[in-house]
Amino acid sequence: IQRTLSIIKPDGVVKDLIGTIYSRFETAGLKIVAAKMLQLTTEQAEGFYAEHKGKPFYDGLIAFMTAGPVMVQVLEGENAIAANREIMGTTNPDEAARGTIRADFATATNRNICHGSDAPETASREIAFFFTDSEIC
Ligand code: ATP
Ligand code: MG
């Protein structure tokens, strides 16, 4: 059993996709064991995406992620990290497999609806970024 951090980004919240996306997680056997909605500050977004600082898309990414509320959740299940990334589809929605969240709902790489941790170490760090142990059920 593994845990991963998922974020429904501001475009997903604005498009009223929280329920649809949660349904996809649960249908795939990923349990939602923690969740919160919050408006990221610039400092939080910069901290979360520190690995991308200096890249050409970084400033746009920070502006996008702070443009409105996000829904953040911890998903738990067998191979949760890979399972969530499979459900999401590739970063660029034009390349995402049919039936994935990004293929179905995202419009561009910089408006791609969701985030999912990409490895066990990043999952641990990202979960701790948003949740204390006592907030995870
Ligand atoms: P995420 O980390 O959000 O789950 P990812 O792991 O698929 O996505 P990363 O390479 O970690 O992709 O990039 C983080 C985010 O930065 C992407 O989800 C996307 O919003 C944005 N991003 C990445 N590459 C580009 C790009 N070339 N142009 C615009 N935005 C980008
Ligand atoms: Mg990533």
Side-chain angles (χ1 to χ4, degrees), residues 68-86:
V70 295
M71 192 76 199
V72 186
Q73 43 283 327
V74 177
L75 307 178
E76 186 177 87
E78 287 295 332
N79 296 312
I81 294 169
N84 180 40
R85 289 182 75 85
E86 194 173 319

Side-chain angles (χ1 to χ4, degrees), residues 9 49 52 57 61 85 91 102 109-110 112 114-116:
K9 297 180 179 182
Y49 280 119
H52 295 302
F57 60 82
L61 176 61
R85 289 182 75 85
T91 309
R102 284 165 168 168
T109 300
N110 60 0
N112 64 0
C114 50
H115 164 83

Side-chain angles (χ1 to χ4, degrees), residues 38-49 62 66 129-130:
L38 71 166
Q39 165 72 54
L40 292 179
T41 64
T42 299
E43 291 68 29
Q44 282 175 307
E46 287 177 345
F48 186 79
Y49 280 119
I62 299 306
T66 56
F129 190 90
F130 287 110

Side-chain angles (χ1 to χ4, degrees), residues 74-131:
V74 177
L75 307 178
E76 186 177 87
E78 287 295 332
N79 296 312
I81 294 169
N84 180 40
R85 289 182 75 85
E86 194 173 319
I87 294 165
M88 292 196 299
T90 54
T91 309
N92 180 348
D94 294 337
E95 296 165 2
R98 192 171 302 173
T100 60
I101 292 167
R102 284 165 168 168
D104 289 349
F105 306 118
T107 52
T109 300
N110 60 0
R111 310 199 119 255
N112 64 0
I113 302 282
C114 50
H115 164 83
S117 309
D118 59 10
E121 311 76 56
T122 43
S124 300
R125 174 168 56 76
E126 292 176 358
I127 290 168
F129 190 90
F130 287 110
F131 296 97

Side-chain angles (χ1 to χ4, degrees), residues 3 5 32-38 72-76 126-137:
R3 286 177 176 171
L5 186 87
I32 298 154
V33 294
K36 59 176 75 163
M37 180 177 269
L38 71 166
V72 186
Q73 43 283 327
V74 177
L75 307 178
E76 186 177 87
E126 292 176 358
I127 290 168
F129 190 90
F130 287 110
F131 296 97
T132 62
D133 283 348
S134 65
E135 289 177 317
I136 303 172
C137 296

